[in-house]
Every structure is written in structure tokens, then in C-alpha cells.
């Protein structure tokens, strides 16, 4: 009997080792980087600048944010330099760092390698990226929009900034290889089809990533119902808002109120306040989203009015005692 138990344990151990080997060496498997050369045109650079700074918000993570100011705007001169940490203190299963995406950091990457990383989550060396960058969303966008972002990145001011290797915790260091997936690119709808266009823009902006409650990388809440917790170094917890059309969310908001909540930050009289120890802070990058086109904001509002209403009263913040 003991021999059979030892045999079964040996088989199980071999199976576990084989499975871990599969995860480590055969995944991710999204195919090679496409062979492409992105033509850099003024139109593409302008579109890419708009997307990277005000919709997809590449510069939200690939820059240093100044959280001594309301909404943590990017520190001028750090755009694209990377180095922002997303680690265990913020609830992530490991320590992940945004990389330098200026020509210093990705100048030797091909356009196809950048395209694959943005849309599938596979880096130049074939390793998996943790979806802090919402590549699953970006993989649903229009190929032309991704090319525009690449064209814009090629025009960024080169910044010398070393990349810090990311270190996922166990077992995410194995599971991470299952996360990348092949892109399912679509065509950007015409803005006249407001609902389809709104769905496209809200996907590009990855609103659901923050406005859906998650814990340890797993979704535990209803889409867009808010409640996702962001832990600040001082112990303050900020939670994302419910943006479903329920009255506990955006149910009582008019389109004009929704748009004005963003555009108020572009008013020439608006100065983002400095944040003191007991002042309310937010991770919502209002100062970046504020420059989104009004038609894009209106389309997002129209789309959000069609999602399932969810009753969820969110306590916006919990401050540490004392």
C-alpha cells in the first residue's frame, strides 16, 4: 500500500512540475510581434497625443504623479519616463513598475513589438506583462489608434530613466503567463453612432478597471458599480465611485453635469489645490481626462446610461485614526 501511495505522490509531483513548466516556458502564446512599420504623420502624432494623455492615459502610469496636488497630475518633464510603482502596499500581488517608454526606453523596439505589448500584454522578450496596463482593453481598439499612440511615443522627448524589474508574488509569477491574450481589434465607430462610439471610448479609457470592485486581482463587484479601494501611504483608503445609472450612482446626473464635472478642470480660473494631511485626495486623473473631447464625454455618458443599474452606496474615503 505504501508503494502505491509513493507512486501516486510521484505522479502528482511530476504533473505539478510539468504544469508549472508549461506555464513558465510555453506561455504566453499570442504569436510573434507583427511585422509593421508605422508611418509617422502629423495626424497620427496628434491623435496619439490625445489618446495617450487624455483617453488611454499612458502618461498616467508612465510618468511620475505629484500627489501633493489634487488628482496627482504628472510631474512636468517625467512624461514617458516610467518608474511608477504598483506594489503590495496598493493591493497588487507583487511589485510592478512602469517602464520608460521614451525613445531611451523603447527606441530599440520595433513598431510591431510595441504593438504586441500594448494590445496583448507580451513584452519584447516574450515575457508576460501584468495588466496594470489594461492591454485587454487596448486589444479591442482600432489598429489605427494603436499605431497613432506608437507614432506619438516615437516623438517623445528622450529621458534617461532606468527600468526597474517587476517582481510578481507567488503564485502570480506563474499565473501571469496565462493573462496575455490575442488582440480582438475592432474599427472605431463613427461618433454619430453614439452608443457604439461611447462603448469604444469607455473601453479605451478603461473606466471599468477602476470603477469595478476587485480584490487580489479578482473582480468581486458589478461592472461600473465602484467600491474599488486605493490605499495611500498614510493609510487613507479612497474608493471609486458608482457610475451606473442607479440613483446611488449617476442616476440623477444630467449629461451637462457629467461633462462639466470633467471640463471644470480646464477652466482658466481653476487651480488644482495643494493637498494637506487631512484633505481629500483622489487617484482619478481629473486633470488628464478633463481635456477629453466633449463629444467623447457625451458618448461615454450615453453609454453609461445603458449599463445595468446597481445599488451601491460608496463611502468615498476612510481616513486613518489620529
Amino acid at each position: 500500500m505504501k508503494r502505491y501511495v509513493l507512486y501516486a505522490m510521484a505522479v502528482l509531483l511530476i504533473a505539478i512540475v510539468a504544469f508549472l513548466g508549461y506555464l513558465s516556458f510555453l506561455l504566453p502564446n499570442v504569436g510573434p510581434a507583427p511585422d509593421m512599420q508605422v508611418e509617422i504623420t502629423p495626424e497620427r502624432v496628434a491623435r496619439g497625443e490625445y489618446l495617450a494623455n487624455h483617453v488611454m492615459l499612458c502618461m498616467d502610469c508612465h510618468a511620475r504623479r505629484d500627489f501633493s496636488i489634487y488628482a496627482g497630475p504628472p510631474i512636468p518633464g517625467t512624461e514617458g519616463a516610467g518608474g511608477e510603482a504598483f506594489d503590495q502596499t496598493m493591493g497588487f500581488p507583487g511589485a510592478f513598475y512602469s517602464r520608460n517608454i521614451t525613445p531611451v526606453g523603447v527606441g530599440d523596439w520595433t513598431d510591431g513589438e510595441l504593438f504586441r505589448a500594448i494590445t496583448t500584454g507580451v513584452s519584447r522578450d516574450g515575457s508576460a506583462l501584468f495588466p496594470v496596463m489594461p492591454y485587454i482593453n487596448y486589444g479591442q481598439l482600432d489598429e489605427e489608434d494603436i499605431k497613432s499612440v506608437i507614432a506619438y511615443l516615437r516623438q517623445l522627448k528622450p529621458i534617461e530613466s532606468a527600468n526597474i524589474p517587476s517582481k510578481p508574488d507567488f503564485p502570480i509569477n506563474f499565473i501571469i503567463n496565462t493573462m496575455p491574450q490575442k488582440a480582438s481589434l475592432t474599427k472605431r465607430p463613427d461618433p454619430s453612432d453614439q452608443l457604439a462610439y461611447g462603448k469604444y471610448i469607455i473601453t479605451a479609457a478603461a473606466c471599468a478597471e477602476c470603477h469595478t470592485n476587485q480584490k487580489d486581482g479578482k473582480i468581486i463587484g458589478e461592472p461600473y458599480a465602484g467600491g474599488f479601494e486605493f490605499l495611500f501611504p498614510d493609510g487613507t483608503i479612497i474608493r471609486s465611485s458608482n457610475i451606473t445609472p442607479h440613483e446611488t450612482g449617476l442616476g440623477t446626473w444630467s449629461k451637462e453635469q457629467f461633462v462639466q464635472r470633467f471640463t471644470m478642470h480646464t477652466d482658466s480660473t481653476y487651480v488644482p489645490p495643494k493637498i494637506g494631511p487631512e484633505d481629500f485626495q483622489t487617484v482619478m486623473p481629473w486633470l488628464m481626462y478633463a481635456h477629453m473631447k466633449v463629444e467623447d464625454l457625451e458618448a461615454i455618458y450615453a453609454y453609461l446610461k445603458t449599463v445595468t443599474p446597481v445599488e451601491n452606496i460608496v463611502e468615498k474615503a476612510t481616513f486613518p485614526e489620529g
Side-chain angles (χ1 to χ4, degrees), residues 74 81 115 121 132 149 183 186 214 219-220 224 246 271 278 299 301 311:
F115 189 93
V132 177
V149 170
T186 60
Q214 303 177 43
I219 294 175
I220 61 173
Y224 301 107
H246 191 271
V271 178
E278 298 182 359
Y301 174 83
E311 182 176 1

Side-chain angles (χ1 to χ4, degrees), residues 85-103:
F86 303 87
D87 58 21
Q88 295 88 341
T89 65
M90 304 168 69
F92 287 94
F96 305 95
Y97 301 90
S98 60
R99 70 169 295 124
N100 185 337
I101 56 173
T102 74

Side-chain angles (χ1 to χ4, degrees), residues 267-290:
D267 190 293
S268 60
T269 63
Y270 178 79
V271 178
K274 298 286 286 186
I275 297 296
E278 298 182 359
D279 293 331
F280 176 77
Q281 181 55 291
T282 179
V283 298
M284 175 73 171
W286 287 111
L287 305 179
M288 302 180 77
Y289 280 137

Side-chain angles (χ1 to χ4, degrees), residues 103-123:
V104 171
V106 295
D108 57 348
W109 288 43
T110 68
D111 291 339
E113 287 168 343
L114 278 173
F115 189 93
R116 182 177 67 169
I118 295 170
T119 60
T120 72
V122 175
S123 190

Side-chain angles (χ1 to χ4, degrees), residues 99-219:
R99 70 169 295 124
N100 185 337
I101 56 173
T102 74
V104 171
V106 295
D108 57 348
W109 288 43
T110 68
D111 291 339
E113 287 168 343
L114 278 173
F115 189 93
R116 182 177 67 169
I118 295 170
T119 60
T120 72
V122 175
S123 190
R124 185 190 190 199
D125 62 3
S127 61
L129 301 174
F130 189 75
V132 177
M133 177 178 74
Y135 49 78
I136 295 173
N137 287 55
Y138 299 161
Q140 300 175 55
L141 303 183
D142 193 315
E143 178 177 324
E144 180 56 36
D145 274 344
I146 305 301
K147 287 182 175 179
S148 293
V149 170
I150 293 171
Y152 171 65
L153 296 182
R154 296 303 195 195
Q155 303 298 298
L156 286 176
K157 177 184 176 181
I159 300 176
E160 293 287 346
S161 178
N163 291 308
I164 304 172
S166 294
K167 296 181 180 179
D169 294 335
F170 178 83
I172 294 298
N173 57 329
F174 289 101
I175 296 173
I176 190 174
N177 290 330
T178 68
M179 295 177 178
Q181 57 185 254
K182 292 182 179 181
S184 301
L185 300 170
T186 60
K187 288 295 183 182
R188 175 160 46 105
D190 190 284
S192 62
D193 186 352
Q194 194 176 50
L195 290 184
Y197 185 70
K199 182 179 180 180
Y200 180 89
I201 294 297
I202 205 170
T203 299
C207 300
E209 294 299 300
C210 290
H211 288 278
T212 302
N213 198 7
Q214 303 177 43
K215 187 175 181 62
D216 298 327
K218 297 180 180 179
I219 294 175

